[in-house]
Amino acid sequence: MQLLLNNYSAIEKDISRKENAVELLQETISRYGKVDILVNNAHVTRQISFMKTTLEDFELSFNTGFYPTIHLMQVSYEQFKKNKGFVINSASGAGISGQVNQAPMVVGGTQKLT
């Protein structure tokens, strides 16, 4: 793997929307010629108990973590196949162990929400 310390850039997109993830992929390929790695490492959530969590709180969490991860993996799939690329997904331990004030991250772990 070649590390390009002097050749980096940032592209600002709302990747909660799939069409923006498509644009991001196209711009990245235009700049670098290919995509061979994707690191999904962003996620925003509010520190609030389950009973106080609003739909807006869940949307913030899903729109910064879940949906962008899915969109970027789907739109990059052909690049990964072509370039033998790979995906690194990181996640919070709150999704495994559950935390009272991390309801959007532990919707499956209801025993830890109260």
Side-chain angles (χ1 to χ4, degrees), residues 25-113:
L25 176 70
Q26 292 168 342
E27 288 181 35
T28 301
I29 293 170
S30 176
R31 288 183 190 189
Y32 299 102
K34 67 178 182 173
V35 173
D36 53 15
I37 185 170
L38 170 64
V39 178
N40 292 307
N41 189 39
H43 187 133
V44 177
T45 187
R46 292 194 175 104
Q47 298 283 325
I48 191 166
S49 70
F50 177 72
M51 294 306 294
K52 293 180 180 177
T53 302
T54 66
L55 183 57
E56 181 182 278
D57 297 324
F58 279 103
E59 288 172 347
L60 172 67
S61 181
F62 277 69
N63 285 336
T64 59
F66 180 78
Y67 294 126
T69 297
I70 297 301
H71 297 325
L72 289 171
M73 288 172 54
Q74 287 180 334
V75 303
S76 302
Y77 179 77
E78 291 302 322
Q79 281 287 306
F80 298 144
K81 278 181 35 180
K82 177 181 172 184
N83 300 315
K84 295 184 171 50
F86 56 95
V87 178
I88 299 171
N89 288 324
S90 67
S92 169
I96 297 170
S97 63
Q99 293 179 1
V100 174
N101 290 325
Q102 292 291 332
M105 299 178 83
V106 295
V107 289
T110 54
Q111 75 279 3
K112 297 287 186 165
L113 296 178

